[in-house]
C-alpha cells in the first residue's frame, strides 16, 4: 500500500479556481492525478515541465494549451499516473519551474477534479465495473514456440529481479493485454513492453503447477504482437511540441539482440542472426505468478472474468510440458551440401553427423520457407527424414506437397504425415496460364519477421515479360505492419525509427532465400504508394543494374522522386499488344497561362482500336471498340482516344506524354473506357453540403437505396434494375444481372442467391462506412480532351454564382463538356445535356466540384463513355477538379438536378505543385531506397484526409473553415509527393481533438467522441450493417444437372481441375486476408489485409480475379477439347455436377452432426461459374441431350 503523507494544516490555494484542501482527500486512490499550471512563459517546453515535475512522481502526460488564435496562453496540465506520494501542490511556498536555481519562475498549481470514474463497464453486464488498469506482478516469463499441441519449447526466460519486475497488465480502456519486462543487453538493463489487443487473443492456457498459490499462464499467438523499448523519458521531448505522453518514450522494436551490427549488415531472412528474443517467431509466452496473497488472488480472478467478458477463454490444462531450447537441425540439411544418402533417424546425434546431400531444388526450398514463415510448419518439427523425402521426390511433386501444407492455413504438428496424403497438382505442375500472366513470388516484410507467399498468377508487366525466362528470379515485396494489420502509417515522431530502419536495411541488404540473394530493383508507381517494390536475384550475366539500364535512359532526370516515377512506368500492370505494328505521329500540346490543356492525351485510329479490342478479348455490348485506352509505350504514357482522322495503324503522341527514352517501344494497354456507376462518398457529400445541397436530399436517396437493396433479394425486376445501373468498375454487377436473366434467381440457385446476399451486404457496408450512395443520373468516366476545340472552356472572369441569379445567366457562364453514354435507357447511345457536376476523387476543397454544361457536338459523337472537356479558356476545368489531368484520371459526372448546389463554381484552389529540389549529382539505387523510406515516414495523405473529414463535421463552416482549407492544400501536396519529393507536413494544430461518432474511432477516449448532427452523422445512423451468410442448403439447378449424361472420366477430370482451382482461390484468400471464395469471384470484398485502401484493392482484386478465371478457363478448354459451346457445355455440366455433389454431401454431414455450415467448413462453390454464360445457355435450352 502507498504510504500516506503526514497531516498538514488546511491551506487555501490561490487563483480564480482556488479550492480549500482540508485533508488528503481521495486523490491518493485515483489511478491518475491532474494538475493545472498557470503563469507559464510562452517558450516553455514539455521537457522543462517534465524535468520540474518528474522529481515528484511518474509524469504520464503534459499538455501546453493554446488560445483560439493558436498562441500559447500561459497554462498547461500535468498528469501523474499513479499519483505522487506527497501533495506538493499544497505547500505554502510557490512551486517553481526552471532550469536550475538561478533560472526558475514561480507558477500556480491547481488540483483538477477527476474527469471520469476510472472504471470500465463489462460488455456483457454494464452494471459490472472493472478498474481501467489491472496489474499483476509475474515471477518470470518464457518466450518460445508451440512444439506440439501440449508442449511449449522455451527459447528464452526472463526472471523478475529487484532491478525490474515483470508486469502483466490488463488495460480495459484500450482493450489490450500488456506485459512489461527487463532484458540485459550488453551489460545494460532495458525495459520492454509487449502489447496484445484483446481482438488478437482467443484462448489463454492455465497450466496446473501442482501448487495452489502458483499459477502459470500460456499465451500462444498466431501472429507477432508489437514490441516496444522504453527510452529515457527526458530524451523523448520535441523542442516545439505542446503535447507529450509517457507512450512517446516507448519505441517500436524489430529485434532484441546482443549483436546489433550483425543485424545491421545482414539480409532479411526467416532465421535471424543471434537473437536474444526472436520477437517475430517466438510468439508463445509462459508467465508464472505467485498469488499467495489474498489481493493477488482477487486480482487474478477479476482479470480472468474481464477477459472472459471479451470472449477470451482461460482453458485449464492438466497435461502440458515445457521443452528446453535446442537449435533446429533442419537448417543444416537445407543450407549445406553433403554426401552419402541419409538414413531415417530421430536422434539428435544422427542429426549432426557430418554427412552430405545435394541441396533442395530452389522452388522446393522457397515453398518450404513459405510454410515455415507463416508458421504452418515449424523447423523444430522437421528432421533429416523430412528433408530426405523432399529431396528424393520429383521437385514439382515436392513443391505440390508443400503447397498443400500452405493451403491448409493451420499448424501441422506431424509434418511426415504430409507424404501419406494424395496431393493434388499445384502451381508447381505449371498448368497453362494466360499469355499476359506470370507466376510471381512475393514476400511481406513486417517489423518483426518476413513472410514468403506461394507463387500466384498475376498480370505481368513490361519488365517481367521481357525477362520471362528469369521470371522466377523476381520477388514482389511489400512492407507492412504485423501480419493482417495493414499498412505502416507515417508518423511525425521518432517512435517508429526502428521500423523504418528495418525497411531501409531490407532495401539495402536484400532478402535471402537459400542461395538466392534478392536485391532491390525498382518500384511501380501504384506499388510505391502501397509501400511495395520489386527485388531481383542477380545472375553473373544479368544483374539488377543491367535491368534498370534496359528500362530506359534516366540520367538526365535530376529529381529522385521523378526518377523513381519514370522507372515505375515500366512496372505498370499492362497487357502487351503483339498482333500489329504501329507508326508514331508526334504533335504539340495546347499550352496557355502555364497550363497544359491536352496533358496526357494522344490519339489512335478506329481500326487500331478494333485490333486491340479483339486481341485483348474485350467484351462489348456493341460492335464498336472502347473510345479510350490508357496505355504505356516505351517512355510514353497517358491515354489514347479514338480519332476518325487517324490513319490505320497510326498513334498520335503529344510531348506531354513523352517521359523518357526507352529501348522497348511496344504498345501496352492498362485499361479502357467503359461505363461505371456514379457514387457519392463522404468527401463529396460534405463539400456539396457546404455548397448548399440540403441534408434531406442525401438522406432520402440513401433511404431509397436501402429499400431497393432489400426488395432486390426477392424481386428479379428490382435486382436487374439495380445491377444494370449500379455498375462497379469490374463490371461484375452486369455478370450477376446476366445470371438473373438466365433464371438462376427464380430457381433460388445457391451460388446465385449467395452472390446476391454478398452484393447487398457489400453495398450496405459501403453505405455505412463510406456513404457510397449510388446516383442513377450519373457516371464515373475517363476524361479526355476536345480535339475539335469546339467546347467552351472556363474563363477567369466567370463570377461565383450564389443562387439568386437567373437560370439563363447561370447556364451562360458555364464551361461546356460532351458526355455520351454507349447505352441509354432505350439501349441506344445517349448524349447528356444540361447542367451537371464534374468532380474527381478525392474532393476536399469547396472549389473542387464544378458545375458544367453538357452539350451535343456532332464531331465528338464517336467518343462514348467518357467526359470530353474543352481545350479553350484560361484554365483547364479538370485542373480545378482536385488538380486533375487527362493521362488516365476518372471523373464523376452527375446530372441529377437535386444535387446541383445553391453555390456554383466556388473559386478553385491553386494546385501548382511544390518546387522540386534537384539532387545535384547522378541518382543511385541508394537514393531511390532512401526516398522510399522517407516517403513511408512522411506519407500523410490518409492522416490529412481523416483530419479534414473530422474538422469538416466539427466546425460550423465545414470545408470552408480555415483549418479545412489548409488541410485541402496539404492534401494536394501529399498527393504530389510521389512526383515532387516534397512531403506535406501536418502541424499539431491540424490534429483533431474531437471526433464524430460516424468515424468510429474506437481507440480514442470516450470524451473525445461526439454525436454528429450533420449530414454524415444522419446517414451513418440510418444504416444497419448486414452480415454476409452464404446459402449452402438450397437445391442446385436441375436444368443443368439433367442436361447431359456425363461420363465418369469427364467427372474425374472436372474434379481434378476443381481441386486445383479451389487451392488457387484459397491462396488468394490467404494472401489478402479475404474470408470467402464468393468475395474473390465477385470482387465484392467485405474485408481484406488493409495493405492498400479499399478503392485500390477493388482494382487489384479485379485484376487478380480476371487472371484466375482466364487461367482456369484455359485449362478447362484444354480438357474439354475446345471452347465452342457444343464442346464445352458437357464439361461445364460436369463441373456443376461435381460441385453440387460436394456441397450436398457436406450439407448432409453438417445436418447429421448438427454443426454450422460456415465457409471454412464447407466445400467451395464458385468453380462451375467460371462459365456462367455457358451455364445460362444450358439452363435455357429446351432440348436435353
Amino acid at each position: 500500500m502507498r504510504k500516506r503523507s503526514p497531516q498538514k494544516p488546511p491551506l487555501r490555494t490561490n487563483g480564480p479556481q482556488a479550492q480549500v484542501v482540508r485533508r488528503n482527500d481521495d486523490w491518493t486512490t485515483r489511478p491518475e492525478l491532474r494538475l493545472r499550471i498557470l503563469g507559464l512563459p510562452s517558450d516553455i517546453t514539455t521537457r522543462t515541465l517534465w524535468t520540474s515535475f518528474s522529481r515528484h512522481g511518474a509524469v504520464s502526460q503534459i499538455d501546453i494549451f493554446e488560445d483560439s488564435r493558436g498562441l500559447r496562453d500561459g497554462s498547461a496540465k500535468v498528469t501523474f499516473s499513479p499519483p505522487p506520494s506527497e501533495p506538493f501542490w499544497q505547500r505554502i511556498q510557490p512551486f517553481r519551474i526552471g532550469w536550475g536555481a538561478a533560472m526558475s519562475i514561480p507558477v500556480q498549481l491547481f488540483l483538477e477534479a477527476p474527469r471520469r470514474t476510472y472504471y470500465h463497464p463489462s460488455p456483457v453486464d454494464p452494471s459490472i465495473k472493472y478498474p481501467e488498469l489491472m496489474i499483476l506482478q509475474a515471477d518470470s516469463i518464457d518466450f518460445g514456440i508451440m512444439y506440439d499441441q501440449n508442449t511449449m519449447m522455451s527459447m528464452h526466460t526472463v526472471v523478475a529481479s529487484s532491478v525490474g519486475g515483470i508486469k502483466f497488465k490488463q488495460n480495459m480502456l484500450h482493450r489490450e493485454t500488456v506485459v512489461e519486462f527487463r532484458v540485459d543487453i550488453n551489460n545494460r538493463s532495458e525495459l520492454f513492453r509487449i502489447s496484445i489487443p484483446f481482438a488478437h487473443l482467443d484462448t489463454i492456457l492455465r497450466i496446473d503447477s501442482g501448487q495452489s498459490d502458483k499459477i502459470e499462464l500460456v499465451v500462444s499467438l498466431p501472429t507477432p504482437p508489437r514490441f516496444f523499448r522504453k527510452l529515457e523519458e527526458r530524451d523523448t521531448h520535441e523542442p516545439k511540441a505542446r503535447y507529450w505522453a509517457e507512450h512517446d518514450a516507448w519505441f517500436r522494436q524489430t529485434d532484441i539482440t546482443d549483436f546489433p551490427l550483425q543485424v545491421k549488415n545482414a539480409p532479411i531472412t526467416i532465421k535471424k542472426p543471434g537473437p536474444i528474443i526472436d520477437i517475430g517467431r517466438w510468439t508463445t509466452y509462459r508467465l508464472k505468478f505467485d498469488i499467495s496473497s489474498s489481493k493477488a488472488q482477487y486480482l487474478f480472478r477479476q482479470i480472468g472474468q474481464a477477459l472472459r467478458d471479451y470472449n477470451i477463454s482461460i482453458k485449464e490444462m492438466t497435461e502440458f510440458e515445457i521443452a528446453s531450447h535446442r537449435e533446429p537441425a533442419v537448417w543444416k540439411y537445407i543450407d549445406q551440401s553433403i554426401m552419402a544418402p541419409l538414413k531415417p533417424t530421430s536422434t539428435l546425434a544422427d542429426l549432426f553427423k557430418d554427412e552430405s546431400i545435394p541441396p533442395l531444388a530452389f522452388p522446393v526450398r522457397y515453398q518450404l520457407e513459405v510454410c515455415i514463415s507463416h508458421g504452418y510448419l515449424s523447423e523444430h518439427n522437421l528432421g533429416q527424414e523430412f528433408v530426405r523425402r523432399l529431396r528424393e521426390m520429383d521437385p514439382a511433386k515436392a513443391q505440390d506437397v508443400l503447397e498443400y501444407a500452405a493451403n491448409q492455413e493451420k499448424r501441422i504438428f506431424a509434418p511426415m504425415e504430409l507424404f501419406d496424403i494424395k496431393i493434388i497438382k499445384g502451381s508447381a505442375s505449371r498448368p497453362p496460364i494466360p499469355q499476359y500472366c506470370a507466376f510471381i513470388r512475393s514476400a511481406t516484410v513486417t517489423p518483426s519477421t518476413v513472410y514468403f507467399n506461394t507463387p500466384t498468377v498475376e498480370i505481368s508487366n513490361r519488365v517481367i515479360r521481357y525477362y520471362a525466362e528469369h521470371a522466377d528470379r523476381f520477388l514482389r515485396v511489400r512492407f507492412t505492419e504485423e501480419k493482417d494489420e495493414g499498412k505502416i502509417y507515417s508518423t511525425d515522431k521518432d517512435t517508429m525509427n526502428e521500423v523504418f530502419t528495418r525497411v531501409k536495411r531490407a532495401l539495402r541488404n536484400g532478402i535471402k532465400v537459400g542461395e538466392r540473394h534478392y536485391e532491390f530493383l525498382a518500384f511501380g508507381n501504384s506499388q510505391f504508394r502501397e509501400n511495395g517494390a520489386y527485388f531481383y536475384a542477380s545472375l553473373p550475366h544479368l544483374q539488377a543494374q543491367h535491368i534498370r539500364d534496359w528500362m530506359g535512359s534516366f540520367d538526365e532526370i535530376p529529381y529522385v522522386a521523378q526518377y523513381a516515377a519514370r522507372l515505375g512506368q515500366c512496372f505498370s500492370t499492362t497487357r502487351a499488344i503483339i498482333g500489329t505494328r504501329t507508326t508514331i505521329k508526334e504533335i504539340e500540346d495546347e499550352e496557355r497561362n502555364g497550363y497544359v490543356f491536352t496533358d496526357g492525351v494522344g490519339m489512335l485510329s478506329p481500326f487500331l482500336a478494333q485490333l486491340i479490342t479483339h486481341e485483348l478479348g474485350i467484351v462489348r455490348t456493341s460492335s464498336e471498340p472502347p473510345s479510350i485506352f490508357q496505355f504505356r509505350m516505351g517512355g510514353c504514357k497517358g491515354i489514347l482516344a479514338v480519332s476518325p482522322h487517324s490513319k490505320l495503324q497510326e498513334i498520335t503522341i503529344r510531348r506531354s506524354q513523352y517521359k523518357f527514352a526507352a529501348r522497348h517501344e511496344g504498345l501496352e494497354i492498362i485499361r479502357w473506357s467503359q461505363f461505371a456507376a456514379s457514387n457519392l462518398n463522404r468527401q463529396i457529400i460534405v463539400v456539396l453540403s457546404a455548397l448548399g445541397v440540403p441534408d434531406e436530399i442525401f438522406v432520402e436517396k440513401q433511404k431509397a437505396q436501402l429499400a431497393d437493396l432489400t426488395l432486390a433479394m426477392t424481386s428479379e425486376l428490382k435486382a436487374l434494375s439495380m445491377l444494370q445501373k449500379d455498375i462497379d468498375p469490374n463490371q461484375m454487377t452486369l455478370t450477376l444481372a446476366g445470371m438473373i436473366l438466365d433464371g438462376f434467381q427464380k430457381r433460388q440457385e445457391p451460388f446465385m442467391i449467395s452472390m446476391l446476399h454478398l452484393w447487398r451486404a457489400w453495398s450496405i457496408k459501403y453505405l455505412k462506412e463510406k456513404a457510397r450512395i449510388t446516383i442513377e443520373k450519373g457516371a464515373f468516366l475517363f476524361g479526355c480532351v476536345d480535339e475539335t476545340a469546339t467546347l467552351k472552356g472556363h474563363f477567369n472572369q466567370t463570377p461565383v454564382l450564389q443562387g439568386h441569379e437567373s437560370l439563363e445567366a447561370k447556364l451562360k457562364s458555364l464551361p461546356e463538356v460532351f458526355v455520351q453514354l454507349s447505352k441509354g435507357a432505350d439501349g441506344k447511345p445517349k448524349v447528356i445535356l444540361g447542367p451537371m457536376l464534374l468532380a474527381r476523387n478525392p474532393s476536399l476543397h469547396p472549389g473542387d466540384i464544378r458545375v458544367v454544361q453538357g452539350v451535343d457536338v456532332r464531331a465528338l459523337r464517336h467518343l462514348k463513355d467518357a467526359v470530353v472537356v474543352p481545350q479553350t479558356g484560361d484554365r483547364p476545368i479538370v485542373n480545378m477538379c482536385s488538380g486533375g489531368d487527362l493521362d488516365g484520371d476518372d471523373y464523376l459526372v452527375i446530372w441529377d438536378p437535386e444535387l446541383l448546389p445553391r453555390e456554383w463554381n466556388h473559386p478553385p484552389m491553386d494546385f501548382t505543385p511544390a518546387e522540386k529540389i534537384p539532387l545535384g549529382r547522378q541518382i543511385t539505387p541508394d537514393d531511390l531506397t532512401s526516398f522510399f523510406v522517407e516517403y513511408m515516414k512522411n506519407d500523410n495523405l490518409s492522416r490529412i484526409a481523416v483530419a479534414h473529414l473530422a474538422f469538416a463535421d466539427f466546425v460550423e463552416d465545414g470545408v470552408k473553415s480555415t483549418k479545412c482549407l489548409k488541410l485541402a492544400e496539404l492534401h494536394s501536396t501529399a498527393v504530389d509527393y510521389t512526383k515532387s519529393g516534397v512531403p506535406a507536413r501536418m502541424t499539431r494544430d491540424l490534429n483533431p481533438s474531437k471526433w464524430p461518432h460516424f468515424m468510429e474511432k474506437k481507440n480514442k477516449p470516450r470524451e473525445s467522441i461526439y454525436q454528429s448532427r450533420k449530414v454524415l452523422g444522419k446517414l451513418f445512423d440510418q444504416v444497419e450493417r448486414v452480415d454476409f451468410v452464404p446459402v449452402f442448403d438450397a437445391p442446385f439447378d436441375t436444368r443443368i444437372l439433367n442436361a447431359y449424361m456425363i461420363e465418369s472420366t469427364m467427372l474425374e477430370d472436372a474434379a481434378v481441375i476443381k481441386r486445383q482451382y479451389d487451392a488457387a482461390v484459397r491462396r488468394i484468400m490467404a494472401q489478402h486476408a479475404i474470408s470467402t471464395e464468393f468475395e474473390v469471384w465477385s470482387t465484392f470484398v467485405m474485408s481484406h489485409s488493409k495493405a492498400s485502401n479499399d478503392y485500390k484493392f477493388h482494382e487489384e482484386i479485379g485484376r487478380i480475379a480476371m487472371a484466375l478465371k482466364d487461367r482456369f478457363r484455359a485449362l478447362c478448354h484444354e480438357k474439354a477439347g475446345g471452347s465452342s459451346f457444343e464442346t464445352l457445355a458437357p464439361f461445364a455440366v460436369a463441373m456443376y455436377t461435381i460441385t453440387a455433389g460436394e456441397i450436398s454431401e457436406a450439407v448432409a454431414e453438417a445436418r447429421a452432426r448438427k454443426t454450422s455450415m460456415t465457409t471454412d467448413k464447407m466445400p467451395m462453390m464458385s468453380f462451375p461459374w467460371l462459365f456462367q454464360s455457358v451455364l445460362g445457355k444450358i439452363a435455357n435450352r429446351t432440348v436435353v441431350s
Side-chain angles (χ1 to χ4, degrees), residues 198-357:
F198 286 173
H200 293 183
L201 287 169
D202 179 41
T203 302
I204 296 175
L205 305 180
R206 179 177 176 176
I207 311 305
D208 183 6
S209 65
Q211 297 175 271
S212 60
D213 59 350
K214 302 292 184 183
I215 288 177
E216 296 181 16
L217 297 181
V218 172
V219 179
S220 187
L221 301 176
T223 59
R226 299 186 183 192
F227 274 67
F228 301 83
R229 178 170 62 94
K230 192 170 188 181
L231 274 61
E232 289 291 338
E233 291 183 355
R234 68 171 59 87
D235 299 328
T236 59
H237 298 262
E238 297 176 20
K240 296 182 179 180
R242 58 180 178 83
Y243 174 83
W244 177 91
E246 188 252 358
H247 62 70
D248 290 335
W250 288 96
F251 278 47
R252 279 290 295 278
Q253 293 300 287
T254 61
D255 300 277
I256 300 179
T257 178
D258 272 327
F259 308 102
L261 287 178
Q262 192 176 350
V263 171
K264 178 182 177 181
N265 298 315
I268 300 295
T269 57
I270 292 178
K271 189 181 179 186
K272 289 187 175 181
I276 297 174
I277 301 172
D278 188 338
I279 65 178
R281 309 207 50 234
W282 301 348
T283 58
T284 298
Y285 316 101
R286 178 179 66 154
L287 294 115
K288 291 184 177 181
F289 302 92
D290 180 346
I291 59 166
S292 53
S293 71
S294 57
K295 180 181 178 182
Q297 291 172 12
Y298 173 76
L299 188 57
F300 180 77
R301 287 195 300 270
Q302 195 175 32
I303 288 173
Q305 185 57 53
L307 292 173
R308 280 187 284 270
D309 284 355
Y310 281 92
N311 202 31
I312 302 164
S313 63
I314 298 180
K315 183 180 178 182
E316 302 278 350
M317 297 290 288
T318 55
E319 295 183 6
F320 194 87
E321 297 180 8
I322 302 296
S324 58
H325 170 219
R326 65 175 183 267
E327 285 296 321
V330 67
W331 296 112
K332 171 185 173 68
Y333 295 107
I334 61 176
D335 280 341
Q336 298 179 6
S337 295
I338 15 185
M339 295 178 287
L342 294 175
K343 299 178 299 211
T345 183
S346 61
T347 67
L348 282 176
D350 287 336
L351 288 176
F352 286 98
K353 284 182 180 176
D354 190 17
E355 300 175 338
S356 71
I357 55 172

Side-chain angles (χ1 to χ4, degrees), residues 1017-1030:
K1018 296 175 185 177
L1019 293 172
F1020 180 84
D1021 293 341
Q1022 191 181 34
V1023 181
E1024 292 294 333
R1025 288 184 175 90
V1026 174
D1027 292 330
F1028 166 54
V1029 180

Side-chain angles (χ1 to χ4, degrees), residues 547-764:
I547 296 174
R548 284 191 290 267
D549 291 342
W550 170 84
M551 287 160 64
S553 176
F554 309 100
D555 292 344
E556 295 181 3
I557 300 175
Y559 312 106
V560 176
Q562 189 178 30
Y563 189 106
R566 299 299 170 247
L567 277 172
Q569 276 182 226
C570 301
F571 288 94
S572 296
T573 300
T574 57
R575 294 180 62 176
I577 304 302
I578 56 178
T580 185
R581 299 184 62 141
T582 59
T583 59
I584 305 300
K585 176 183 176 182
E586 298 182 12
I587 61 173
E588 293 299 318
D589 281 290
E590 184 68 29
E591 298 185 54
R592 197 163 49 256
N593 303 330
Y595 298 105
V596 181
F597 285 72
T598 52
D599 189 7
V601 184
M603 290 172 279
L604 82 170
S605 68
F607 171 76
L608 193 52
Q610 282 285 15
L611 283 178
I612 294 170
T613 301
H614 176 73
E615 185 166 335
L616 297 185
I618 300 172
V619 178
R620 303 288 293 170
T621 55
S622 69
S623 59
E624 294 183 1
S627 298
I628 297 172
F629 297 88
Q630 188 178 14
F631 82 110
R632 299 286 186 267
M633 186 169 63
C636 299
K637 67 186 286 274
I639 63 169
L640 298 173
V642 171
S643 169
H645 306 295
S646 294
K647 297 178 182 177
L648 286 182
Q649 290 170 297
E650 181 180 83
I651 291 178
T652 303
I653 297 293
R654 285 189 163 92
R655 185 179 297 275
S656 62
Q657 297 180 286
Y658 178 82
K659 305 301 180 182
F660 64 91
R663 295 183 189 179
H664 183 279
E665 295 182 349
L667 176 62
E668 301 164 329
I669 302 300
I670 298 175
R671 58 194 183 110
W672 45 88
S673 57
Q674 55 189 5
F675 177 88
S678 63
N679 296 289
L680 302 179
N681 56 46
R682 286 178 170 177
Q683 286 86 1
I684 294 281
I685 289 171
V686 294
V687 173
L688 288 176
S689 179
L691 295 176
V693 177
D695 293 357
E696 293 70 29
I697 298 295
F698 303 108
V699 170
E700 286 303 313
K701 288 185 181 297
Q702 179 171 269
K703 182 180 177 182
Q705 186 170 343
L706 287 168
D708 287 347
L709 284 167
T710 300
L711 182 58
M713 296 303 99
T714 54
S715 167
E716 290 181 79
L717 286 177
K718 178 54 69 176
L720 267 176
S721 173
M722 293 190 74
L723 289 166
Q724 290 174 335
K725 291 175 182 175
D726 185 6
I727 302 173
D728 66 296
N730 294 323
Q731 308 281 291
M732 286 306 301
T733 57
L734 294 179
T735 300
L736 296 186
M739 292 165 67
I740 292 173
L741 287 170
D742 288 328
F744 291 115
Q745 184 182 14
K746 185 177 182 179
R747 287 271 180 158
Q748 293 290 290
E749 202 285 332
F751 186 76
M752 172 82 257
I753 300 305
S754 296
M755 290 311 311
L756 285 175
H757 287 176
L758 173 60
W759 167 66
R760 175 174 178 255
W762 180 80
S763 299
I764 289 174

Side-chain angles (χ1 to χ4, degrees), residues 66 324 413 490 644 651 824 954 957 988 1094:
E66 295 178 343
S324 58
F413 290 105
S490 64
I651 291 178
F954 183 70
D957 292 338
R988 288 293 182 94
D1094 291 340

Side-chain angles (χ1 to χ4, degrees), residues 52-53 55 93-98 100-101 103-107 109:
S52 299
F53 285 94
R55 64 175 68 103
Q93 300 86 357
F95 188 86
R96 302 188 73 85
I97 301 267
M103 298 179 61
S104 64
I105 57 169
V107 295
L109 304 182

Side-chain angles (χ1 to χ4, degrees), residues 115-129:
R115 290 187 176 182
R116 58 184 193 274
T117 64
Y118 303 105
Y119 281 87
H120 189 77
S122 162
V124 177
D125 182 355
S127 67
I128 299 174
K129 302 285 196 301

